Amino acid sequence: MTGRSMTGRSMTPVPPARPPVAPLLAVEDLHVRFPGPGGAVEAVRGVSFTLKREKLGIVGESGSGKSTLGRAILRLVPPPGEVRAKRLELLGTELSDLSEEEMREFRGRHVSMILQDPGFSLNPVMTVGAQIAEAWQTHTGHSWKKSRRRVLAMLQAVRIRDPERVFDAYAHELSGGMSQRAMIAMMLITEPDLLIADEPTSALDVTVQTQVLAILDELVSRRGMGLIFISHDLGLVASFCDRVLVMYGGRIIESCPAAELDNATHPYTRGLLAAQPTLERAGGRLPVMERDPAWLAEADTGPGR
Amino acid sequence: MTGAAMIEVRDLTVTFGPRGKPTPAVEGVSFQVGAGEAFGLVGESGSGKTTVLRALAGLIPAWRGRIAIAGQDRNTRNVNGLARTLQMVFQDPYGSLHPRHTVDWALMEPLAIHGFDGTARRVARALSDVGLGPAFRFRYPHQLSGGQRQRVAIARALILEPRILLLDEPTSALDVSVQAEILNLLSDLKRARGLTYVLVSHDLAVVAHVCERLAVVTEGRIVEEMTAAQLRAGEARHPYTRQLLESRRGYSRPATASAGTGAD
């Protein structure tokens, strides 16, 4: 992985929509626990970070708490899960203080989420167009006719070649890449300030993956959206995002600029980087990570459990 | 190629769909795999790579062409005795193990069907061969991690002592660190037992790591065949292969960003 040329990484600063005084999102000491018969499981244990209008990658393996963190920001952790945070502020609004109804208003308009598997996130008995229009109408109260035009434009914006056909299609009539793009159109039609994308491209083929990433990239740089990009793919995050948080055992164990991920210092991050087979190195054994129990204890910020 | 051909596929064609509207999934695919060799099929979803594997495993009811395994011609009706020569490991270790059968049951069943003796000993050895202790023998799949499940699936495939292992994306459902463990295990088993592998994956690096030779499949056809060394040396010529290689370098902003139309 070392020596990857970072071509095309000349980030031109984007004029922000609002003066960048406060961060878009501020998370401080976030905990998520799931009570169970064998004691509570703490999925997220004291995570703090801030997000500007940038692309923030969150990497980690399954069970590291990265998806739960994304859901907690949207207040979508299902009961009996408990979310506790000193601060969970989006656009200056403390999310924990909102009622369920206010939160529903907030979701979609200011923050939305793309899930990994488009096959399960689209409604199978509603046409794709109607679903996207519903999202738009709910938040703007526009007429059906106006919505249709807007949805078609949005489908075109996510590079769907034949928007009219896709508008009237059902989820099962679309390929994986197509449904994922329809899903992205639905999440972006309200022009949210923050998009949380949980493995948005891992179910997609490489060619489609590049297109989807280009769409997200453009939205961040053109509209000044904030993006949290959750992924297990270190190489992808290093090349796509601006900044990376590495999660392990519900904690952030390392944080660095994405371009410097190759020089990460934490043994876990180093282990992940080394465990990937590469084309440069021929055969042989892959280094297997020795997990140090101390990794779970370090960076303990206080009353964890 | 090392040694005589263990697997020979010539002009394999598989067609799905109704009689009037056939959809070709695999068209005229030919390749050979020598004994003790690992051969990779690389391609994206829908390319037909898994269909080739399923035809080899006798899991597809109708195909045309010629398939010979261990020197014996196969046809679509006769799959008897195939299980002793050839076994398959599936992509999803969460779906490929029966949720209400213990590991012991999963490993015992093929032994019972094929009338093996010393079953308890064989099960214990199969588990230790894939790096699982005896404690795992009476567990249910839900008590295992993804990597442990895939180890059980590999143990189940190896328990009949086949000569060929068909591997369908064996690590794509696993974390990177677990993938490294499983890839190491596969290399060790191959070396220890002289197994022949056919590995299907969308990941060029995984295929190049395990296999000596590979073929790139797209739209049901093999577009390029080469050795892993040639791939590493950058000798891939077909534009599709080059595209796959390009995508491995991660995301690079498209130079000619055709700006989105009419979003605002």
Side-chain angles (χ1 to χ4, degrees):
Chain A
M1 293 251 296
T2 38
R4 175 195 292 125
S5 68
M6 288 290 169
T7 47
R9 300 289 308 154
S10 53
M11 292 289 299
T12 43
V14 180
R18 294 175 184 78
V21 270
L24 178 63
L25 174 75
V27 178
E28 204 183 319
D29 199 22
L30 177 76
H31 290 257
V32 182
R33 58 202 292 271
F34 295 93
V41 175
E42 281 215 58
V44 177
R45 308 185 300 155
V47 162
S48 308
F49 66 93
T50 57
L51 177 81
K52 294 176 298 195
R53 298 182 182 269
E54 62 182 336
K55 290 171 286 186
L56 176 71
I58 299 184
V59 292
E61 298 190 291
S62 43
S64 61
K66 57 190 196 303
S67 293
T68 308
L69 172 62
R71 284 169 178 272
I73 295 167
L74 276 138
R75 279 189 42 195
L76 283 177
V77 172
E82 298 160 9
V83 180
R84 198 153 48 80
K86 283 210 187 100
R87 198 151 82 110
L88 183 56
E89 228 173 72
L90 177 64
L91 295 162
T93 307
E94 175 58 48
L95 295 182
S96 335
D97 294 344
L98 297 179
S99 70
E100 197 46 53
E101 204 169 324
E102 289 167 326
M103 188 63 214
R104 212 174 307 145
E105 184 66 25
F106 224 77
R107 260 183 237 129
R109 184 184 291 267
H110 297 300
V111 51
S112 52
M113 186 163 186
I114 301 173
L115 298 165
Q116 179 169 10
D117 193 330
F120 289 113
S121 344
L122 288 171
N123 186 338
V125 294
M126 212 171 157
T127 63
V128 168
Q131 288 176 61
I132 304 176
E134 190 184 37
W136 168 243
Q137 283 172 320
T138 306
H139 289 286
T140 59
H142 279 304
S143 69
W144 172 250
K145 202 170 163 194
K146 211 168 170 191
S147 301
R148 186 183 164 91
R149 265 208 311 272
R150 165 81 189 171
V151 171
L152 288 174
M154 198 65 220
L155 287 172
Q156 210 163 29
V158 295
R159 317 257 159 74
I160 285 177
R161 237 170 292 142
D162 190 353
E164 297 274 350
R165 184 182 78 81
V166 172
F167 189 94
D168 293 317
Y170 289 91
H172 73 268
E173 296 174 298
L174 302 179
S175 69
M178 203 79 110
S179 356
Q180 189 65 301
R181 276 179 276 180
M183 194 69 207
I184 292 175
M186 191 192 305
M187 292 302 132
L188 295 178
I189 196 161
T190 54
E191 303 194 4
D193 298 277
L194 168 64
L195 180 71
I196 300 171
D198 188 358
E199 307 263 8
T201 59
S202 45
L204 303 178
D205 286 333
V206 285
T207 39
V208 185
Q209 175 176 311
T210 315
Q211 290 173 12
V212 168
L213 290 176
I215 295 164
L216 293 177
D217 193 14
E218 195 178 303
L219 286 162
V220 174
S221 53
R222 211 161 48 102
R223 282 198 193 149
M225 185 181 74
L227 175 69
I228 295 181
F229 189 88
I230 301 170
S231 176
H232 67 278
D233 189 333
L234 290 156
L236 185 64
V237 167
S239 60
F240 180 67
C241 295
D242 303 319
R243 207 149 56 86
V244 187
L245 307 177
V246 183
M247 281 189 77
Y248 180 76
R251 287 206 170 87
I252 294 171
I253 56 160
E254 184 149 21
S255 156
C256 64
E260 282 159 36
L261 188 62
D262 281 347
N263 309 321
T265 49
H266 195 282
Y268 174 71
T269 319
R270 293 237 56 89
L272 278 186
L273 290 166
Q276 287 179 316
T278 64
L279 280 175
E280 289 77 35
R281 192 174 52 210
R285 293 185 70 79
L286 293 164
V288 170
M289 200 189 304
E290 296 292 337
R291 283 155 203 274
D292 188 341
W295 296 350
L296 287 175
E298 71 190 39
D300 207 337
T301 45
R305 45 179 60 200
Chain B
M1 292 262 300
T2 53
M6 182 63 98
I7 299 172
E8 206 184 332
V9 176
R10 206 183 314 143
D11 283 330
L12 177 70
T13 298
V14 182
T15 310
F16 294 122
R19 205 169 282 272
K21 221 178 94 188
T23 312
V26 173
E27 273 186 294
V29 161
S30 306
F31 61 89
Q32 283 192 6
V33 188
E37 191 186 23
F39 184 74
L41 290 169
V42 194
E44 298 185 290
S45 49
S47 63
K49 58 192 193 301
T50 298
T51 305
V52 173
L53 213 60
R54 294 180 71 89
L56 284 174
L59 293 173
I60 288 188
W63 44 263
R64 288 195 309 278
R66 179 168 179 264
I67 295 179
I69 286 165
Q72 219 180 350
D73 264 27
R74 313 298 319 184
N75 62 48
T76 49
R77 277 180 295 278
N78 174 22
V79 290
N80 295 342
L82 192 60
R84 294 284 290 273
T85 320
L86 169 156
Q87 282 287 332
M88 186 152 166
V89 176
F90 296 90
Q91 176 171 12
D92 178 11
Y94 295 84
S96 64
L97 295 175
H98 195 301
R100 301 185 67 172
H101 288 179
T102 58
V103 170
D104 181 64
W105 182 294
L107 296 179
M108 279 289 197
E109 200 172 24
L111 291 175
I113 291 169
H114 291 270
F116 275 78
D117 55 359
T119 51
R121 183 174 44 81
R122 283 174 191 275
V123 168
R125 214 191 52 210
L127 283 177
S128 76
D129 281 354
V130 296
L132 294 176
F136 285 94
R137 188 161 164 192
F138 295 102
R139 291 205 190 159
Y140 286 94
H142 73 264
Q143 295 169 305
L144 306 176
S145 71
Q148 289 164 346
R149 284 176 210 224
Q150 201 58 304
R151 285 172 191 267
V152 171
I154 293 169
R156 177 178 60 182
L158 289 176
I159 202 154
L160 293 180
E161 297 172 5
R163 299 164 70 188
I164 301 169
L165 217 50
L166 305 179
L167 304 157
D168 185 8
E169 300 266 17
T171 59
S172 67
L174 306 175
D175 279 327
V176 193
S177 61
V178 184
Q179 166 172 282
E181 292 171 20
I182 297 291
L183 293 181
N184 285 342
L185 172 67
L186 288 172
S187 321
D188 293 347
L189 288 169
K190 176 169 173 284
R191 205 174 315 115
R193 302 184 175 206
L195 290 165
T196 305
Y197 287 165
V198 181
L199 171 74
V200 157
S201 178
H202 68 282
D203 190 332
L204 272 175
V206 166
V207 168
H209 183 80
V210 176
C211 303
E212 289 105 38
R213 270 188 326 123
L214 60 116
V216 181
V217 188
T218 180
E219 289 169 23
R221 293 170 185 279
I222 290 181
V223 293
E224 190 162 14
E225 199 184 311
M226 69 195 116
T227 64
Q230 284 172 319
L231 180 73
R232 270 186 225 107
E235 287 172 30
R237 267 191 303 275
H238 195 276
Y240 181 72
T241 318
R242 301 205 68 89
Q243 194 183 352
L244 287 180
L245 282 168
E246 186 61 39
S247 73
R248 279 202 51 79
R249 281 205 279 279
Y251 178 76
S252 59
R253 189 171 297 201
T256 53
S258 55
T261 38
D264 296 74

